[in-house]
mmCIF file of all heavy atoms in Angstrom:
data_model
loop_
_atom_site.group_PDB
_atom_site.id
_atom_site.type_symbol
_atom_site.label_atom_id
_atom_site.label_comp_id
_atom_site.label_asym_id
_atom_site.label_seq_id
_atom_site.Cartn_x
_atom_site.Cartn_y
_atom_site.Cartn_z
ATOM 1 N N VAL A 123 2.412 3.127 43.839
ATOM 2 C CA VAL A 123 3.719 3.522 44.349
ATOM 3 C C VAL A 123 4.766 2.517 43.899
ATOM 4 O O VAL A 123 4.493 1.637 43.082
ATOM 5 C CB VAL A 123 3.694 3.667 45.893
ATOM 6 C CG1 VAL A 123 2.642 4.683 46.318
ATOM 7 C CG2 VAL A 123 3.439 2.325 46.569
ATOM 8 N N LEU A 124 5.969 2.633 44.447
ATOM 9 C CA LEU A 124 7.070 1.769 44.053
ATOM 10 C C LEU A 124 6.717 0.285 44.185
ATOM 11 O O LEU A 124 5.966 -0.093 45.090
ATOM 12 C CB LEU A 124 8.304 2.074 44.904
ATOM 13 C CG LEU A 124 8.942 3.459 44.727
ATOM 14 C CD1 LEU A 124 10.041 3.638 45.757
ATOM 15 C CD2 LEU A 124 9.484 3.625 43.321
ATOM 16 N N GLU A 125 7.299 -0.542 43.292
ATOM 17 C CA GLU A 125 7.080 -1.987 43.352
ATOM 18 C C GLU A 125 7.938 -2.577 44.471
ATOM 19 O O GLU A 125 8.864 -3.374 44.237
ATOM 20 C CB GLU A 125 7.414 -2.631 42.014
ATOM 21 C CG GLU A 125 6.414 -2.346 40.918
ATOM 22 C CD GLU A 125 5.092 -3.074 41.121
ATOM 23 O OE1 GLU A 125 4.960 -4.213 40.661
ATOM 24 O OE2 GLU A 125 4.194 -2.496 41.757
ATOM 25 N N ASP A 126 7.618 -2.172 45.692
ATOM 26 C CA ASP A 126 8.331 -2.601 46.890
ATOM 27 C C ASP A 126 7.288 -2.970 47.931
ATOM 28 O O ASP A 126 6.472 -2.134 48.321
ATOM 29 C CB ASP A 126 9.231 -1.472 47.405
ATOM 30 C CG ASP A 126 10.074 -1.874 48.594
ATOM 31 O OD1 ASP A 126 9.484 -2.223 49.646
ATOM 32 O OD2 ASP A 126 11.314 -1.812 48.501
ATOM 33 N N ILE A 127 7.308 -4.219 48.360
ATOM 34 C CA ILE A 127 6.250 -4.706 49.267
ATOM 35 C C ILE A 127 6.194 -3.895 50.539
ATOM 36 O O ILE A 127 5.101 -3.529 51.022
ATOM 37 C CB ILE A 127 6.469 -6.205 49.572
ATOM 38 C CG1 ILE A 127 6.316 -7.026 48.280
ATOM 39 C CG2 ILE A 127 5.489 -6.700 50.628
ATOM 40 C CD1 ILE A 127 6.772 -8.457 48.411
ATOM 41 N N ALA A 128 7.337 -3.568 51.119
ATOM 42 C CA ALA A 128 7.364 -2.813 52.371
ATOM 43 C C ALA A 128 6.761 -1.421 52.188
ATOM 44 O O ALA A 128 5.994 -0.943 53.040
ATOM 45 C CB ALA A 128 8.795 -2.709 52.887
ATOM 46 N N VAL A 129 7.102 -0.766 51.069
ATOM 47 C CA VAL A 129 6.558 0.571 50.795
ATOM 48 C C VAL A 129 5.052 0.500 50.617
ATOM 49 O O VAL A 129 4.292 1.313 51.165
ATOM 50 C CB VAL A 129 7.226 1.171 49.540
ATOM 51 C CG1 VAL A 129 6.526 2.465 49.120
ATOM 52 C CG2 VAL A 129 8.705 1.426 49.795
ATOM 53 N N LYS A 130 4.595 -0.484 49.881
ATOM 54 C CA LYS A 130 3.168 -0.612 49.624
ATOM 55 C C LYS A 130 2.391 -0.871 50.925
ATOM 56 O O LYS A 130 1.342 -0.264 51.169
ATOM 57 C CB LYS A 130 2.905 -1.744 48.617
ATOM 58 C CG LYS A 130 3.361 -1.418 47.191
ATOM 59 C CD LYS A 130 3.085 -2.571 46.235
ATOM 60 C CE LYS A 130 3.588 -2.318 44.839
ATOM 61 N NZ LYS A 130 2.876 -1.256 44.122
ATOM 62 N N GLN A 131 2.886 -1.756 51.755
ATOM 63 C CA GLN A 131 2.150 -2.075 52.979
ATOM 64 C C GLN A 131 2.132 -0.902 53.956
ATOM 65 O O GLN A 131 1.164 -0.726 54.703
ATOM 66 C CB GLN A 131 2.732 -3.329 53.623
ATOM 67 C CG GLN A 131 2.455 -4.595 52.811
ATOM 68 C CD GLN A 131 2.616 -5.866 53.607
ATOM 69 O OE1 GLN A 131 3.431 -5.941 54.517
ATOM 70 N NE2 GLN A 131 1.844 -6.883 53.246
ATOM 71 N N LYS A 132 3.171 -0.096 53.948
ATOM 72 C CA LYS A 132 3.154 1.125 54.764
ATOM 73 C C LYS A 132 2.045 2.067 54.284
ATOM 74 O O LYS A 132 1.309 2.646 55.094
ATOM 75 C CB LYS A 132 4.508 1.825 54.683
ATOM 76 C CG LYS A 132 4.570 3.118 55.492
ATOM 77 C CD LYS A 132 5.926 3.804 55.331
ATOM 78 C CE LYS A 132 5.943 5.139 56.078
ATOM 79 N NZ LYS A 132 7.237 5.844 55.901
ATOM 80 N N VAL A 133 1.916 2.188 52.967
ATOM 81 C CA VAL A 133 0.857 3.031 52.405
ATOM 82 C C VAL A 133 -0.519 2.458 52.746
ATOM 83 O O VAL A 133 -1.448 3.203 53.107
ATOM 84 C CB VAL A 133 1.033 3.159 50.880
ATOM 85 C CG1 VAL A 133 -0.193 3.809 50.245
ATOM 86 C CG2 VAL A 133 2.288 3.962 50.557
ATOM 87 N N TYR A 134 -0.659 1.132 52.695
ATOM 88 C CA TYR A 134 -1.956 0.513 53.001
ATOM 89 C C TYR A 134 -2.376 0.800 54.437
ATOM 90 O O TYR A 134 -3.568 1.031 54.716
ATOM 91 C CB TYR A 134 -1.905 -1.002 52.778
ATOM 92 C CG TYR A 134 -1.613 -1.414 51.351
ATOM 93 C CD1 TYR A 134 -1.091 -2.672 51.055
ATOM 94 C CD2 TYR A 134 -1.855 -0.549 50.284
ATOM 95 C CE1 TYR A 134 -0.821 -3.054 49.757
ATOM 96 C CE2 TYR A 134 -1.581 -0.926 48.986
ATOM 97 C CZ TYR A 134 -1.049 -2.175 48.723
ATOM 98 O OH TYR A 134 -0.773 -2.544 47.428
ATOM 99 N N ALA A 135 -1.434 0.801 55.354
ATOM 100 C CA ALA A 135 -1.753 1.103 56.758
ATOM 101 C C ALA A 135 -2.264 2.536 56.878
ATOM 102 O O ALA A 135 -3.229 2.809 57.616
ATOM 103 C CB ALA A 135 -0.528 0.889 57.634
ATOM 104 N N GLN A 136 -1.640 3.462 56.146
ATOM 105 C CA GLN A 136 -2.100 4.853 56.163
ATOM 106 C C GLN A 136 -3.494 4.974 55.549
ATOM 107 O O GLN A 136 -4.360 5.685 56.068
ATOM 108 C CB GLN A 136 -1.112 5.731 55.379
ATOM 109 C CG GLN A 136 0.250 5.876 56.017
ATOM 110 C CD GLN A 136 1.201 6.651 55.110
ATOM 111 O OE1 GLN A 136 1.429 6.286 53.955
ATOM 112 N NE2 GLN A 136 1.770 7.720 55.646
ATOM 113 N N VAL A 137 -3.695 4.268 54.445
ATOM 114 C CA VAL A 137 -4.992 4.304 53.769
ATOM 115 C C VAL A 137 -6.085 3.770 54.689
ATOM 116 O O VAL A 137 -7.165 4.375 54.829
ATOM 117 C CB VAL A 137 -4.944 3.481 52.465
ATOM 118 C CG1 VAL A 137 -6.353 3.258 51.907
ATOM 119 C CG2 VAL A 137 -4.063 4.166 51.432
ATOM 120 N N ASP A 138 -5.831 2.651 55.324
ATOM 121 C CA ASP A 138 -6.856 2.014 56.158
ATOM 122 C C ASP A 138 -7.254 2.892 57.334
ATOM 123 O O ASP A 138 -8.389 2.805 57.825
ATOM 124 C CB ASP A 138 -6.348 0.656 56.658
ATOM 125 C CG ASP A 138 -7.483 -0.317 56.926
ATOM 126 O OD1 ASP A 138 -8.525 -0.216 56.228
ATOM 127 O OD2 ASP A 138 -7.347 -1.162 57.826
ATOM 128 N N ALA A 139 -6.356 3.739 57.787
ATOM 129 C CA ALA A 139 -6.649 4.605 58.923
ATOM 130 C C ALA A 139 -7.520 5.797 58.534
ATOM 131 O O ALA A 139 -8.107 6.446 59.416
ATOM 132 C CB ALA A 139 -5.343 5.102 59.546
ATOM 133 N N HIS A 140 -7.623 6.092 57.253
ATOM 134 C CA HIS A 140 -8.339 7.306 56.833
ATOM 135 C C HIS A 140 -9.500 7.060 55.872
ATOM 136 O O HIS A 140 -10.341 7.940 55.687
ATOM 137 C CB HIS A 140 -7.358 8.279 56.169
ATOM 138 C CG HIS A 140 -6.351 8.863 57.095
ATOM 139 N ND1 HIS A 140 -5.153 8.248 57.383
ATOM 140 C CD2 HIS A 140 -6.374 10.016 57.827
ATOM 141 C CE1 HIS A 140 -4.463 8.987 58.231
ATOM 142 N NE2 HIS A 140 -5.178 10.061 58.520
ATOM 143 N N ARG A 141 -9.591 5.915 55.243
ATOM 144 C CA ARG A 141 -10.618 5.700 54.220
ATOM 145 C C ARG A 141 -11.985 5.519 54.840
ATOM 146 O O ARG A 141 -12.127 5.201 56.027
ATOM 147 C CB ARG A 141 -10.260 4.477 53.362
ATOM 148 C CG ARG A 141 -10.397 3.136 54.079
ATOM 149 C CD ARG A 141 -9.829 2.003 53.239
ATOM 150 N NE ARG A 141 -9.999 0.714 53.879
ATOM 151 C CZ ARG A 141 -10.985 -0.147 53.582
ATOM 152 N NH1 ARG A 141 -11.852 0.149 52.642
ATOM 153 N NH2 ARG A 141 -11.078 -1.313 54.216
ATOM 154 N N LYS A 142 -13.013 5.691 54.008
ATOM 155 C CA LYS A 142 -14.375 5.511 54.504
ATOM 156 C C LYS A 142 -14.795 4.054 54.391
ATOM 157 O O LYS A 142 -14.224 3.278 53.602
ATOM 158 C CB LYS A 142 -15.350 6.409 53.733
ATOM 159 C CG LYS A 142 -15.560 6.029 52.277
ATOM 160 C CD LYS A 142 -16.556 6.987 51.619
ATOM 161 C CE LYS A 142 -16.794 6.626 50.149
ATOM 162 N NZ LYS A 142 -17.732 7.567 49.499
#
Side-chain angles (χ1 to χ4, degrees):
V123 302
L124 294 173
E125 288 288 272
D126 184 298
I127 296 169
V129 171
K130 289 180 183 292
Q131 291 198 328
K132 179 182 177 182
V133 169
Y134 298 158
Q136 293 175 304
V137 168
D138 208 31
H140 292 87
R141 71 189 182 99
K142 68 180 180 181

